[in-house]
Amino acid sequence: MIRTRIAPAPTGPCHVGIARTALFNYLFTRKHGGTFVMRLEDTDVARSRKEFEQDVYDSLRWLCLDWDEGPDVGGDFGPYRQSERKQIYQAALQKLLEANLAYPCFCTPEELEEERNRRLKLKLPPRYKGKCPTLSRAEQEAAKAQGKPYSIRFRMPDKTIAFEDMIRGKVQFDGAEIGDFVIVKPDGDFIFHLSNVVDDIEMKITHVIRGEDHVSNTPRHLALAEALGATPPTYGHIPLILNPDRSKMSKRKNPTSVSDYRQWGYLPEAMVNFLALIGWSSGTEREVFSLDELVAAFSIEAVGRAGAIFDIEKLNWLNGNYIRALPLEELQKRLRPYLPDADPDYLRRVIPLIQERLKRLDEAPALTEFFFRDELEYDPALLIAKKHTAEESRAALSQVLDRLSTIEEFGIESLENGLRGLVEELGWKTGHLFMAIRVAVTGSTATPPLFETMSVLGKERCLTRIRRAIEKLSAMSGERT
RNA sequence: GACCCCAUCGUCUAGCCUGGUCCAGGACACCGGGUUUUCAUCCCGGCAACACGGGUUCAAAUCCCGUUGGGGUCGCCA
């Protein structure tokens, strides 16, 4: 039985990298009928916050990446918050201490810093090489008796540690290059390496899929598992998401919070699809997948090894795609937060006109503004039709007004008949007249189709706006004479 | 600097394992054209890559070595 986990640290808003790691874990797990666990790694008390924990849940749930066990849903291997599992780590620590596989380190931060710099200057890897590893029990007790603060280090074995990565194949490190690392802080807090490994063991995690930034931690984790006498999980390291400059994606250079993308009106379907496409390909030419379809098509071996840039343009395209595919009712529902004051019935008629023009939901207010405003603001010069003067445009709009007045019901067909007829009579180019009307009625040169738009706006509003346009044009021709 | 990883169009990638079917396919972006009352959609077309150098081979994007480039890690963060 496969068991996987996503192990976020609630030290910031849910990062898209976490979301993608969760996604790959989710796909792998569902594909194989396993159990997906949410484990909160909140061992860093100073930086962990409840609101971030909530943000992780909200963001991942929004993406429909639900978990089977977790702090908020329970399960047989809880608690699922590391802050609530200290006794478990304490027991593991005792085991290591008793076997002399870990030892107290009394070095001060200053001493460590000094040693680090010295080794760096000698072009040596900055690993720990203090005196504490060889302290006798008596010396350790003496130092403790003096009240000296101490951390606890794990004795990293002096041997080659190799493992078979699900994605990159065989990887190996020299344990001696790594050095003894801290697993407990002087204040008693456990460091991620220990809690992470202990929990993976205790929670019977079989496969760990995580970011590439963890490959160099893997030998530590393998050594820890061995010291604890446990069989380690199988590891797989997915490539990182990159900034356009190819550095690791960071909020300094890019928005990284899932909640940001959510607010901008990216659909969760598009987000999931996009995230899956970063570093993974189905091997076919297909690129649009629902979450369920991804589960069916996914294969961990097909995940690439090279980092990939977060290409917002592709996300935009996918999002537009998904928006266009949404049923009217569904789109209206999703648009509600962006147009909270709109009358539902009226909105139902407006939405079809902007659906294929939307790349993000948050563009809706700007695209539909003229449907809701009373007074339009625009440059009157836009009313002057191409190849025509202000006066000619005014006269034409006057005729448009007359013609429109004779139309009882502003249906698409009646508008088309009336207006196209007028184009003929005037001898104008269709586009020239229609653009003048468009600007008069919407205040914009880029709008949904004219007749549909006018039909939705209704006769009254259209006539009023055309009258206003005529006034503006009169003022302009007046200025000239 | 050390260690580890990576390397196909601007971007995401297919192909690489099992060399020839690849003068390298798809998608996004971009450019051009068509449909069209504008915008958008849609359709058609175009631009554009095997990082470099050695090998191995009848034949290399595919195998090997090296170089270069990029990234990650080196925390009493995760």
Side-chain angles (χ1 to χ4, degrees), chain A residues 57-64 258 261-262 266-268 271:
Chain A
Y57 300 156
D58 291 347
S59 297
L60 262 25
R61 283 238 169 71
W62 175 65
L63 294 170
C64 297
V258 172
Y261 291 89
R262 182 180 182 176
Y266 287 102
L267 268 34
M271 208 66 200

Side-chain angles (χ1 to χ4, degrees), chain A residues 13 97 127 131 133 167 231 265 272 286 366 395 473:
Chain A
L97 250 16
R127 64 175 198 237
K131 297 192 205 86
I167 292 161
T231 306
V272 158
R286 181 168 181 195
L473 282 168

Side-chain angles (χ1 to χ4, degrees), chain A residues 403-404 407 409-423 430 434 450-452 454:
Chain A
R403 180 63 51 101
L404 256 21
I407 300 176
E409 192 72 18
F410 261 29
I412 294 168
E413 214 168 299
S414 48
L415 284 167
E416 173 141 28
N417 290 337
L419 259 16
R420 287 207 189 273
L422 186 59
V423 166
T430 311
F434 284 12
L450 189 55
F451 311 132
E452 282 89 331
M454 291 175 71

Side-chain angles (χ1 to χ4, degrees), chain A residues 292-314:
Chain A
D292 287 342
E293 289 167 340
L294 283 173
V295 169
F298 189 73
S299 142
I300 190 78
E301 292 80 21
V303 175
R305 286 128 301 170
I309 294 171
F310 188 95
D311 180 13
I312 194 78
E313 292 296 344
K314 186 122 185 183

Side-chain angles (χ1 to χ4, degrees), chain A residues 253-274:
Chain A
K253 302 176 181 177
N254 248 323
T256 55
S257 303
V258 172
S259 52
D260 284 341
Y261 291 89
R262 182 180 182 176
Q263 276 184 327
W264 291 327
Y266 287 102
L267 268 34
E269 301 93 315
M271 208 66 200
V272 158
N273 196 153
F274 175 65

Side-chain angles (χ1 to χ4, degrees), chain A residues 28-300:
Chain A
F28 177 77
T29 312
R30 295 288 175 254
K31 174 93 187 178
H32 299 289
T35 303
F36 183 39
V37 178
M38 158 71 70
R39 183 176 74 224
L40 216 67
E41 307 226 320
D42 56 349
T43 49
D44 186 344
V45 195
R47 293 197 304 148
S48 293
R49 277 159 63 175
K50 211 72 185 170
E51 65 188 89
F52 294 140
E53 177 179 334
Q54 193 57 47
D55 188 70
V56 169
Y57 300 156
D58 291 347
S59 297
L60 262 25
R61 283 238 169 71
W62 175 65
L63 294 170
C64 297
L65 306 178
D66 49 281
W67 43 98
D68 308 301
E69 299 174 18
D72 56 339
V73 298
D76 297 337
F77 297 84
Y80 293 92
R81 250 182 225 101
Q82 293 194 324
S83 56
E84 297 165 12
R85 300 174 61 81
K86 293 187 181 169
Q87 357 39 278
I88 299 170
Y89 310 138
Q90 194 59 48
L93 177 66
Q94 278 317 314
K95 216 170 142 183
L96 294 177
L97 250 16
E98 278 159 25
N100 196 26
L101 292 170
Y103 58 87
C105 171
F106 299 93
C107 296
T108 64
E110 293 71 36
E111 288 171 332
L112 293 173
E113 178 65 18
E114 202 176 307
E115 183 199 7
R116 206 185 102 84
N117 291 336
R118 200 187 68 238
R119 292 187 60 89
L120 237 29
K121 221 172 279 176
L122 293 172
K123 301 187 175 181
L124 288 165
R127 64 175 198 237
Y128 177 69
K129 270 290 167 200
K131 297 192 205 86
C132 302
T134 54
L135 253 33
S136 68
R137 292 273 180 189
E139 287 170 315
Q140 290 174 2
E141 293 311 317
K144 283 185 194 175
Q146 284 174 42
K148 278 194 183 174
Y150 62 96
S151 61
I152 294 177
R153 284 179 189 274
F154 173 70
R155 275 186 216 283
M156 191 63 193
D158 244 7
K159 64 176 186 185
T160 297
I161 297 182
F163 64 98
E164 192 68 22
D165 189 289
M166 284 187 274
I167 292 161
R168 356 199 121 234
K170 188 178 178 182
V171 182
Q172 55 173 267
F173 289 85
D174 180 359
E177 294 284 344
I178 293 167
D180 301 347
F181 56 94
V182 173
I183 51 178
V184 184
K185 294 193 228 177
D187 62 9
D189 282 349
F190 296 95
I191 289 294
F192 142 84
H193 297 298
L194 182 71
S195 54
N196 185 277
V197 170
V198 168
D199 283 346
D200 283 341
I201 294 167
E202 293 291 324
M203 294 180 178
K204 300 213 171 356
I205 301 301
T206 59
H207 299 261
V208 170
I209 297 169
R210 57 187 357 181
E212 190 193 337
D213 46 349
H214 281 299
V215 294
S216 53
N217 283 331
T218 307
R220 292 184 176 85
H221 298 174
L222 255 10
L224 230 22
E226 188 183 333
L228 259 8
T231 306
T234 301
Y235 289 94
H237 293 90
I238 65 179
L240 262 21
I241 305 182
L242 275 24
N243 293 309
D245 67 0
R246 296 216 151 265
S247 57
K248 182 169 148 183
M249 191 182 186
S250 64
K251 68 178 169 196
R252 289 282 154 258
K253 302 176 181 177
N254 248 323
T256 55
S257 303
V258 172
S259 52
D260 284 341
Y261 291 89
R262 182 180 182 176
Q263 276 184 327
W264 291 327
Y266 287 102
L267 268 34
E269 301 93 315
M271 208 66 200
V272 158
N273 196 153
F274 175 65
L275 256 17
L277 257 24
I278 299 181
W280 174 82
S281 156
S282 70
T284 70
E285 289 183 352
R286 181 168 181 195
E287 303 204 307
V288 179
F289 294 88
S290 69
L291 187 56
D292 287 342
E293 289 167 340
L294 283 173
V295 169
F298 189 73
S299 142
I300 190 78

